Amino acid sequence: MKVPCYISATGLVTPLGFSVKDNFNLLLKDISAIQKHKDGTISATSFYAAMLSEEKIDAQFQQLGNPKKFTKLEKMMLLSLGQTLASSAVKISAKTALIVATTKGNIDALEQDSSFEEKRAYLPELAKKLVAFYNFTTQPIIVSNACVSGILAVAVAKRILTTDLYDNAVIVAGDLVTKFTLSGFQSFQALSDSPCKPYSKYRNGITLGEGAASVFVSKEKPDSNAVQILGDGTSNDANHISGPSRTGEGLYRSILTAMTEAQLEANEIDFISAHGTATLYNDEMESIAFTRRRLQHVPLHSLKGVFGHTLGASGLLETVIGLEMMHQKTMLPSVGFDVVGVSKPLHILRQLQHQPIDVLLKTASGFGGCNTAVLFKKVS
Amino acid sequence: MDNTYFISDFCHITAEEVSVNGTVILKNETAGFETFLKEVYQAIDLKYSKFFKMDTLSKLTFLGAELLLKKEGSDVENWKETALVFSNKSSSLETDRKHQQSIEDSENFYPSPAVFVYTLPNIGMGEVAIRHQLQTDNAFFVFDEFEPEFLQKYTVSLLQEKKCSQILCGWTEVDGVSRHGFFYVVSQHGTTLHTKQNIKNIYTQS
């Protein structure tokens, strides 16, 4: 029942830019999207976050439609989808799935002074807007599984392409920085008081970010720039709903499952795009899980120091950057990392390196004890 | 190939009653939904104090798993490899509204981590995983309505990847007056074939 499937087109909307190329060019220059913000509508005190102004989004969105008709997140997702659909040149058919990955969707529609109806906060309503805009004909599949949503959606796409329901799938992931999420993480005392520093001795929490990413997944092997989804694994820690396992059990098992399915050994993995949220417990847990899986020598980064934690979008957003690294034969550094602050030494990249990546491992972990790992391989 | 799997057991939890494999085990006489869930907890003789900290969606999810996974004589090795595939329409919106209320007014700003952690629809699956020690695959989907065809195909493809030996599927909708928990186990044991039509039939049996 193995059906090879490939990612051949991507799209990205982040504070760094409105295309994968624009984003990547700034990443090459070590630029971070995290800034200090003073916005009373989101927080009474100033905070660090990677945010995208609605004016900038609207300026881009003019070419697609009327910006007033769509929420900020819908516009970001539609812009990202537009890039992916254009570069894949896919003809959307009755066998094209739309997978939407998000943690909180249009949660800002719950705010009293929102200019949109409360109804917009229902995730199916968000998906309906995307379906109608690009004329998808299948029921949208929404994955909302905390911070693994974006990468879990890739595993879901691979899985549903083995059924006779679909030939290909478009995945879009997105999340916002809102008063809702910021106040929640503040109440957990999980927010960093400076731009987050994954794996650093000086890390003290997450920095939130917002963005949208999209990919096209097909059973048909593309002519160029093909990357195959080789294996995936998802495993629950079965330990705690809001903290990671001390032994990294779920992450370890999810990587093991993905490697077993992909039939790959540790020394065949060239790069790890890790989750690295910069909380004390998460990064420590990752160092244990990667070491248990003998991946401590594999070059690794977290992109949270660049884009912040984009919640449900992060897994797909970081995958899109990972795929671009594979195409550009470039390993991007882990921004914010200085002195190692995890108990098991990992190969955390401090400097950009021009080196080929044939096999990339992407991992993510989240509330509810969830962990997901997906392996990607470049195919010629 | 699809039909080599069976719906081994199923249950419904609604505001009116709880039924397992079509047999009503508890009726709600007067209580509101949240109180009724506590009555179910007592009726099945549970001792798990964390239950009372959970939001309604997680309580519902937890009880559904409890009714189906703790069956007497069930194969322990088998249920350790139970994957979780859950879905609903309203995600965690009911708890989301509570968190939103606590932050809406800057004069009266009291966000609570105990509420915020439940503003994710997959937390209930996390509670089930902890309770039954399931270090397995789990995914939470959101659909406008119950999607038997997708769930049937997705479940089978997950089973065929050999990443689990059985799957607990759940539809857990909690939003205002709309409250319904529907749970079923898909495995290689049973008599009811795991088909789209059969899933649909038992879903509408509440």
Side-chain angles (χ1 to χ4, degrees):
Chain A
M1 273 298 286
K2 285 259 180 239
V3 179
C5 54
Y6 307 90
I7 293 186
S8 57
T10 57
L12 211 50
V13 170
T14 82
L16 291 189
F18 291 87
S19 71
V20 177
K21 202 177 144 215
D22 286 354
N23 272 275
F24 204 79
N25 285 340
L26 290 176
L27 286 169
L28 293 173
K29 295 176 190 157
D30 250 3
I31 287 172
S32 169
I34 298 170
Q35 288 180 339
K36 194 170 191 172
H37 293 270
K38 281 182 185 162
D39 181 346
T41 63
I42 293 182
S43 172
T45 50
S46 63
F47 59 96
Y48 283 93
M51 293 177 73
L52 185 48
S53 80
E54 197 149 1
E55 291 75 47
K56 275 191 183 171
I57 296 169
D58 287 356
Q60 291 288 324
F61 197 79
Q62 297 287 356
Q63 51 182 329
L64 291 184
N66 180 357
K68 288 198 164 37
K69 285 187 163 178
F70 298 93
T71 66
K72 182 177 177 183
L73 182 64
E74 286 161 7
K75 285 179 277 197
M76 288 161 62
M77 286 179 151
L78 289 170
L79 281 165
S80 178
L81 276 172
Q83 300 163 32
T84 295
L85 292 172
S87 68
S88 69
V90 59
K91 201 173 165 295
I92 293 169
S93 77
K95 287 199 157 195
T96 303
L98 172 67
I99 304 177
V100 182
T102 182
T103 299
K104 293 314 311 164
N106 287 321
I107 196 67
D108 50 339
L110 292 188
E111 292 168 10
Q112 266 167 12
D113 54 1
S114 165
S115 45
F116 293 94
E117 288 178 89
E118 203 235 20
K119 187 180 146 196
R120 212 63 165 243
Y122 286 82
L123 299 182
E125 295 301 314
L126 161 67
K128 278 179 202 168
K129 296 289 171 197
L130 311 179
V131 164
F133 197 90
Y134 287 114
N135 301 312
F136 286 92
T137 59
T138 51
Q139 274 299 327
I141 299 154
I142 303 163
V143 178
S144 189
N145 210 94
C147 300
V148 308
S149 304
I151 189 63
L152 180 60
V154 174
V156 167
K158 165 179 160 287
R159 206 157 284 149
I160 63 170
L161 291 192
T162 65
T163 73
D164 54 7
L165 288 178
Y166 309 104
D167 288 334
N168 48 41
V170 183
I171 311 173
V172 64
D175 266 306
L176 298 176
V177 176
T178 56
K179 190 174 179 180
F180 187 102
T181 51
L182 199 77
S183 64
F185 285 107
Q186 262 162 2
S187 76
F188 259 101
Q189 300 186 314
L191 289 185
S192 175
D193 55 11
S194 60
C196 69
K197 299 176 75 63
Y199 311 108
S200 162
K201 189 179 167 182
Y202 308 109
R203 72 186 184 279
N204 71 350
I206 67 169
T207 300
L208 290 175
E210 56 193 6
S214 53
V215 299
F216 176 64
V217 187
S218 172
K219 287 190 254 197
E220 215 171 296
K221 190 176 162 191
D223 298 331
S224 61
N225 277 354
V227 172
Q228 191 180 345
I229 305 164
L230 266 197
D232 68 276
T234 291
S235 176
N236 199 292
D237 286 331
N239 176 64
H240 199 281
I241 51 166
S242 58
S245 152
R246 300 259 168 154
T247 57
E249 191 62 24
L251 180 58
Y252 167 80
R253 289 171 73 117
S254 63
I255 299 168
L256 185 64
T257 306
M259 287 173 68
T260 305
E261 185 180 17
Q263 296 183 303
L264 284 174
E265 300 296 331
N267 61 10
E268 292 174 281
I269 295 172
D270 300 311
F271 195 86
I272 304 171
S273 170
H275 193 49
T277 60
T279 67
L280 284 178
Y281 291 123
N282 175 78
D283 294 5
E284 174 62 15
M285 176 281 285
E286 287 185 22
S287 82
I288 292 166
F290 290 134
T291 306
R292 280 181 69 191
R293 202 50 227 105
R294 300 197 175 88
L295 293 166
Q296 67 271 32
H297 304 300
V298 181
L300 164 152
H301 73 199
S302 157
L303 288 171
K304 301 294 189 293
V306 177
F307 296 111
H309 192 344
T310 54
L311 305 179
S314 64
L316 196 68
L317 190 156
E318 292 157 12
T319 294
V320 167
I321 298 296
L323 299 175
E324 195 59 22
M325 290 196 306
M326 295 170 97
H327 301 320
Q328 307 286 343
K329 299 183 173 59
T330 301
M331 295 176 175
L332 294 170
S334 202
V335 173
F337 178 67
D338 40 32
V339 180
V340 68
V342 288
S343 69
K344 308 284 176 202
L346 299 172
H347 185 171
I348 303 153
L349 272 197
R350 293 162 192 271
Q351 304 277 322
L352 180 147
Q353 284 183 21
H354 292 287
Q355 267 194 60
I357 302 169
D358 283 330
V359 176
L360 176 101
L361 170 65
K362 173 75 203 120
T363 67
S365 305
F367 274 7
C370 49
N371 301 271
T372 298
V374 177
L375 279 159
F376 299 92
K377 188 181 188 346
K378 218 174 158 178
V379 285
S380 47
Chain B
M1 275 298 275
D2 289 359
N3 293 345
T4 53
Y5 295 101
F6 299 90
I7 301 168
S8 317
D9 293 285
F10 66 93
C11 76
H12 287 277
I13 302 174
T14 66
E16 286 77 40
E17 63 186 31
V18 177
S19 68
V20 178
N21 293 330
T23 307
V24 176
I25 61 159
L26 193 68
K27 272 197 172 293
N28 186 9
E29 304 299 341
T30 52
F33 191 64
E34 183 78 18
T35 314
F36 183 49
L37 292 182
K38 286 177 193 163
E39 286 178 12
V40 179
Y41 172 93
Q42 282 161 355
I44 59 175
D45 206 20
L46 256 169
K47 298 211 169 29
Y48 195 76
S49 59
K50 268 200 270 177
F51 176 82
F52 298 98
K53 291 186 184 170
M54 298 177 197
D55 74 340
T56 313
L57 178 62
S58 287
K59 282 195 182 95
L60 178 64
T61 307
F62 187 87
L63 289 174
E66 207 63 27
L67 288 166
L68 295 186
L69 294 183
K70 293 294 275 186
K71 273 196 14 175
E72 229 171 283
S74 66
D75 175 357
V76 174
E77 282 315 304
N78 215 28
W79 65 250
K80 286 276 185 203
E81 287 178 38
T82 307
L84 305 173
V85 175
F86 276 64
S87 54
N88 74 8
K89 176 181 178 173
S90 305
S91 180
S92 54
L93 265 176
E94 193 152 285
T95 301
D96 295 354
R97 291 189 187 102
K98 263 185 213 158
H99 176 67
Q100 184 65 36
Q101 268 172 14
S102 74
I103 61 167
E104 195 68 57
D105 180 4
S106 56
E107 302 291 301
N108 201 5
F109 188 82
Y110 56 94
S112 150
V115 173
F116 183 64
V117 71
Y118 288 102
T119 63
L120 295 163
N122 62 301
I123 294 296
M125 292 193 301
E127 299 280 16
V128 170
I130 294 168
R131 165 73 171 165
H132 301 281
Q133 283 303 299
L134 307 177
Q135 292 176 328
T136 49
D137 198 301
N138 33 165
F140 200 101
F141 295 100
V142 178
F143 298 110
D144 205 25
E145 52 186 35
F146 184 63
E147 284 286 338
E149 185 175 34
F150 173 85
L151 292 168
Q152 196 271 347
K153 301 267 185 190
Y154 181 80
T155 302
V156 168
S157 62
L158 185 57
L159 283 161
Q160 287 180 340
E161 284 180 359
K162 307 269 182 238
K163 288 173 181 166
C164 55
S165 59
Q166 62 174 16
I167 299 180
L168 173 67
C169 295
W171 172 262
T172 48
E173 175 64 4
V174 174
D175 182 35
V177 290
S178 162
R179 289 147 189 281
H180 184 195
F182 166 53
F183 309 86
Y184 60 99
V185 175
V186 182
S187 79
Q188 287 184 302
H189 311 284
T191 50
T192 308
L193 286 175
H194 176 238
T195 61
K196 171 186 155 189
Q197 193 54 47
N198 284 341
I199 299 171
K200 214 176 186 170
N201 291 347
I202 61 168
Y203 169 73
T204 48
Q205 240 179 59
S206 65

mmCIF file of all heavy atoms in Angstrom, chain A residues 27-50:
data_model
loop_
_atom_site.group_PDB
_atom_site.id
_atom_site.type_symbol
_atom_site.label_atom_id
_atom_site.label_comp_id
_atom_site.label_asym_id
_atom_site.label_seq_id
_atom_site.Cartn_x
_atom_site.Cartn_y
_atom_site.Cartn_z
ATOM 1 N N LEU A 27 16.801 35.360 5.419
ATOM 2 C CA LEU A 27 17.365 34.367 6.341
ATOM 3 C C LEU A 27 18.867 34.213 6.105
ATOM 4 O O LEU A 27 19.631 33.998 7.045
ATOM 5 C CB LEU A 27 16.673 33.010 6.156
ATOM 6 C CG LEU A 27 15.251 32.918 6.711
ATOM 7 C CD1 LEU A 27 14.565 31.642 6.257
ATOM 8 C CD2 LEU A 27 15.261 32.984 8.220
ATOM 9 N N LEU A 28 19.276 34.333 4.856
ATOM 10 C CA LEU A 28 20.707 34.236 4.529
ATOM 11 C C LEU A 28 21.497 35.347 5.210
ATOM 12 O O LEU A 28 22.692 35.221 5.453
ATOM 13 C CB LEU A 28 20.924 34.304 3.008
ATOM 14 C CG LEU A 28 20.400 33.120 2.193
ATOM 15 C CD1 LEU A 28 20.528 33.400 0.697
ATOM 16 C CD2 LEU A 28 21.130 31.837 2.559
ATOM 17 N N LYS A 29 20.798 36.442 5.503
ATOM 18 C CA LYS A 29 21.467 37.590 6.135
ATOM 19 C C LYS A 29 21.267 37.600 7.645
ATOM 20 O O LYS A 29 21.506 38.613 8.300
ATOM 21 C CB LYS A 29 20.920 38.897 5.536
ATOM 22 C CG LYS A 29 21.258 39.055 4.071
ATOM 23 C CD LYS A 29 20.616 40.313 3.528
ATOM 24 C CE LYS A 29 20.746 40.359 2.006
ATOM 25 N NZ LYS A 29 19.725 41.219 1.398
ATOM 26 N N ASP A 30 20.783 36.466 8.182
ATOM 27 C CA ASP A 30 20.646 36.353 9.638
ATOM 28 C C ASP A 30 19.629 37.332 10.218
ATOM 29 O O ASP A 30 19.776 37.781 11.358
ATOM 30 C CB ASP A 30 21.992 36.650 10.322
ATOM 31 C CG ASP A 30 22.562 35.377 10.917
ATOM 32 O OD1 ASP A 30 21.931 34.321 10.718
ATOM 33 O OD2 ASP A 30 23.616 35.444 11.563
ATOM 34 N N ILE A 31 18.620 37.675 9.455
ATOM 35 C CA ILE A 31 17.656 38.659 9.942
ATOM 36 C C ILE A 31 16.517 37.959 10.681
ATOM 37 O O ILE A 31 16.028 36.924 10.257
ATOM 38 C CB ILE A 31 17.127 39.521 8.766
ATOM 39 C CG1 ILE A 31 18.250 40.469 8.361
ATOM 40 C CG2 ILE A 31 15.857 40.279 9.141
ATOM 41 C CD1 ILE A 31 17.988 41.247 7.123
ATOM 42 N N SER A 32 16.128 38.519 11.808
ATOM 43 C CA SER A 32 15.021 37.967 12.590
ATOM 44 C C SER A 32 13.797 38.869 12.457
ATOM 45 O O SER A 32 13.914 40.085 12.347
ATOM 46 C CB SER A 32 15.413 37.862 14.059
ATOM 47 O OG SER A 32 14.256 37.580 14.831
ATOM 48 N N ALA A 33 12.631 38.253 12.475
ATOM 49 C CA ALA A 33 11.378 39.017 12.372
ATOM 50 C C ALA A 33 10.879 39.462 13.739
ATOM 51 O O ALA A 33 9.866 40.149 13.838
ATOM 52 C CB ALA A 33 10.319 38.156 11.691
ATOM 53 N N ILE A 34 11.572 39.067 14.793
ATOM 54 C CA ILE A 34 11.108 39.384 16.148
ATOM 55 C C ILE A 34 11.446 40.825 16.519
ATOM 56 O O ILE A 34 12.589 41.266 16.356
ATOM 57 C CB ILE A 34 11.727 38.413 17.172
ATOM 58 C CG1 ILE A 34 11.282 36.974 16.881
ATOM 59 C CG2 ILE A 34 11.348 38.819 18.599
ATOM 60 C CD1 ILE A 34 12.012 35.917 17.688
ATOM 61 N N GLN A 35 10.443 41.542 16.990
ATOM 62 C CA GLN A 35 10.644 42.934 17.412
ATOM 63 C C GLN A 35 9.876 43.200 18.692
ATOM 64 O O GLN A 35 8.960 42.471 19.036
ATOM 65 C CB GLN A 35 10.137 43.885 16.320
ATOM 66 C CG GLN A 35 11.038 43.908 15.101
ATOM 67 C CD GLN A 35 10.519 44.863 14.040
ATOM 68 O OE1 GLN A 35 9.338 45.209 14.035
ATOM 69 N NE2 GLN A 35 11.397 45.278 13.158
ATOM 70 N N LYS A 36 10.243 44.300 19.338
ATOM 71 C CA LYS A 36 9.509 44.713 20.524
ATOM 72 C C LYS A 36 8.248 45.454 20.068
ATOM 73 O O LYS A 36 8.324 46.307 19.180
ATOM 74 C CB LYS A 36 10.378 45.631 21.375
ATOM 75 C CG LYS A 36 9.841 45.846 22.765
ATOM 76 C CD LYS A 36 10.856 46.564 23.626
ATOM 77 C CE LYS A 36 10.419 46.548 25.077
ATOM 78 N NZ LYS A 36 11.461 47.058 25.959
ATOM 79 N N HIS A 37 7.115 45.089 20.636
ATOM 80 C CA HIS A 37 5.853 45.731 20.244
ATOM 81 C C HIS A 37 5.190 46.385 21.442
ATOM 82 O O HIS A 37 5.244 45.864 22.551
ATOM 83 C CB HIS A 37 4.885 44.694 19.653
ATOM 84 C CG HIS A 37 5.354 44.127 18.356
ATOM 85 N ND1 HIS A 37 5.034 44.679 17.140
ATOM 86 C CD2 HIS A 37 6.154 43.064 18.085
ATOM 87 C CE1 HIS A 37 5.604 43.968 16.169
ATOM 88 N NE2 HIS A 37 6.287 42.990 16.712
ATOM 89 N N LYS A 38 4.567 47.524 21.150
ATOM 90 C CA LYS A 38 3.700 48.149 22.145
ATOM 91 C C LYS A 38 2.346 48.297 21.482
ATOM 92 O O LYS A 38 2.169 49.150 20.622
ATOM 93 C CB LYS A 38 4.246 49.520 22.551
ATOM 94 C CG LYS A 38 5.378 49.420 23.547
ATOM 95 C CD LYS A 38 5.872 50.780 23.979
ATOM 96 C CE LYS A 38 7.092 50.594 24.874
ATOM 97 N NZ LYS A 38 7.885 51.817 25.005
ATOM 98 N N ASP A 39 1.446 47.401 21.840
ATOM 99 C CA ASP A 39 0.130 47.422 21.217
ATOM 100 C C ASP A 39 -0.910 47.126 22.292
ATOM 101 O O ASP A 39 -1.100 45.975 22.695
ATOM 102 C CB ASP A 39 0.081 46.362 20.102
ATOM 103 C CG ASP A 39 -1.271 46.347 19.394
ATOM 104 O OD1 ASP A 39 -2.236 46.945 19.930
ATOM 105 O OD2 ASP A 39 -1.357 45.741 18.314
ATOM 106 N N GLY A 40 -1.537 48.185 22.764
ATOM 107 C CA GLY A 40 -2.496 48.078 23.858
ATOM 108 C C GLY A 40 -3.660 47.157 23.565
ATOM 109 O O GLY A 40 -4.277 46.613 24.480
ATOM 110 N N THR A 41 -3.985 46.949 22.273
ATOM 111 C CA THR A 41 -5.116 46.077 21.955
ATOM 112 C C THR A 41 -4.746 44.607 22.192
ATOM 113 O O THR A 41 -5.612 43.748 22.268
ATOM 114 C CB THR A 41 -5.567 46.237 20.487
ATOM 115 O OG1 THR A 41 -4.484 45.827 19.628
ATOM 116 C CG2 THR A 41 -5.948 47.666 20.173
ATOM 117 N N ILE A 42 -3.442 44.327 22.275
ATOM 118 C CA ILE A 42 -3.012 42.941 22.475
ATOM 119 C C ILE A 42 -2.482 42.717 23.883
ATOM 120 O O ILE A 42 -2.737 41.693 24.505
ATOM 121 C CB ILE A 42 -1.947 42.552 21.415
ATOM 122 C CG1 ILE A 42 -2.592 42.529 20.029
ATOM 123 C CG2 ILE A 42 -1.326 41.208 21.728
ATOM 124 C CD1 ILE A 42 -1.672 42.111 18.927
ATOM 125 N N SER A 43 -1.733 43.686 24.395
ATOM 126 C CA SER A 43 -1.161 43.507 25.727
ATOM 127 C C SER A 43 -0.954 44.865 26.398
ATOM 128 O O SER A 43 -0.572 45.841 25.740
ATOM 129 C CB SER A 43 0.183 42.782 25.607
ATOM 130 O OG SER A 43 0.837 42.764 26.852
ATOM 131 N N ALA A 44 -1.201 44.905 27.714
ATOM 132 C CA ALA A 44 -1.047 46.153 28.457
ATOM 133 C C ALA A 44 0.426 46.553 28.559
ATOM 134 O O ALA A 44 0.760 47.725 28.666
ATOM 135 C CB ALA A 44 -1.642 45.986 29.860
ATOM 136 N N THR A 45 1.293 45.552 28.513
ATOM 137 C CA THR A 45 2.733 45.833 28.589
ATOM 138 C C THR A 45 3.376 45.517 27.245
ATOM 139 O O THR A 45 2.797 44.819 26.412
ATOM 140 C CB THR A 45 3.393 44.971 29.675
ATOM 141 O OG1 THR A 45 2.994 43.610 29.456
ATOM 142 C CG2 THR A 45 2.961 45.383 31.068
ATOM 143 N N SER A 46 4.594 46.035 27.046
ATOM 144 C CA SER A 46 5.273 45.761 25.773
ATOM 145 C C SER A 46 5.716 44.293 25.741
ATOM 146 O O SER A 46 5.877 43.656 26.781
ATOM 147 C CB SER A 46 6.457 46.699 25.597
ATOM 148 O OG SER A 46 7.395 46.465 26.616
ATOM 149 N N PHE A 47 5.865 43.791 24.535
ATOM 150 C CA PHE A 47 6.211 42.367 24.390
ATOM 151 C C PHE A 47 7.000 42.153 23.103
ATOM 152 O O PHE A 47 6.925 42.957 22.169
ATOM 153 C CB PHE A 47 4.937 41.508 24.367
ATOM 154 C CG PHE A 47 3.989 41.872 23.241
ATOM 155 C CD1 PHE A 47 3.997 41.170 22.040
ATOM 156 C CD2 PHE A 47 3.096 42.933 23.389
ATOM 157 C CE1 PHE A 47 3.133 41.512 21.003
ATOM 158 C CE2 PHE A 47 2.229 43.276 22.352
ATOM 159 C CZ PHE A 47 2.250 42.573 21.164
ATOM 160 N N TYR A 48 7.755 41.074 23.057
ATOM 161 C CA TYR A 48 8.452 40.689 21.830
ATOM 162 C C TYR A 48 7.601 39.717 21.036
ATOM 163 O O TYR A 48 6.996 38.804 21.607
ATOM 164 C CB TYR A 48 9.789 40.032 22.161
ATOM 165 C CG TYR A 48 10.843 41.032 22.564
ATOM 166 C CD1 TYR A 48 11.058 41.348 23.901
ATOM 167 C CD2 TYR A 48 11.610 41.669 21.593
ATOM 168 C CE1 TYR A 48 12.010 42.278 24.273
ATOM 169 C CE2 TYR A 48 12.566 42.607 21.953
ATOM 170 C CZ TYR A 48 12.769 42.906 23.287
ATOM 171 O OH TYR A 48 13.706 43.832 23.640
ATOM 172 N N ALA A 49 7.530 39.907 19.732
ATOM 173 C CA ALA A 49 6.789 38.985 18.865
ATOM 174 C C ALA A 49 7.223 39.216 17.422
ATOM 175 O O ALA A 49 7.812 40.257 17.100
ATOM 176 C CB ALA A 49 5.284 39.201 19.005
ATOM 177 N N ALA A 50 6.952 38.241 16.572
ATOM 178 C CA ALA A 50 7.187 38.385 15.130
ATOM 179 C C ALA A 50 5.839 38.603 14.471
ATOM 180 O O ALA A 50 5.079 37.655 14.276
ATOM 181 C CB ALA A 50 7.875 37.141 14.580
#
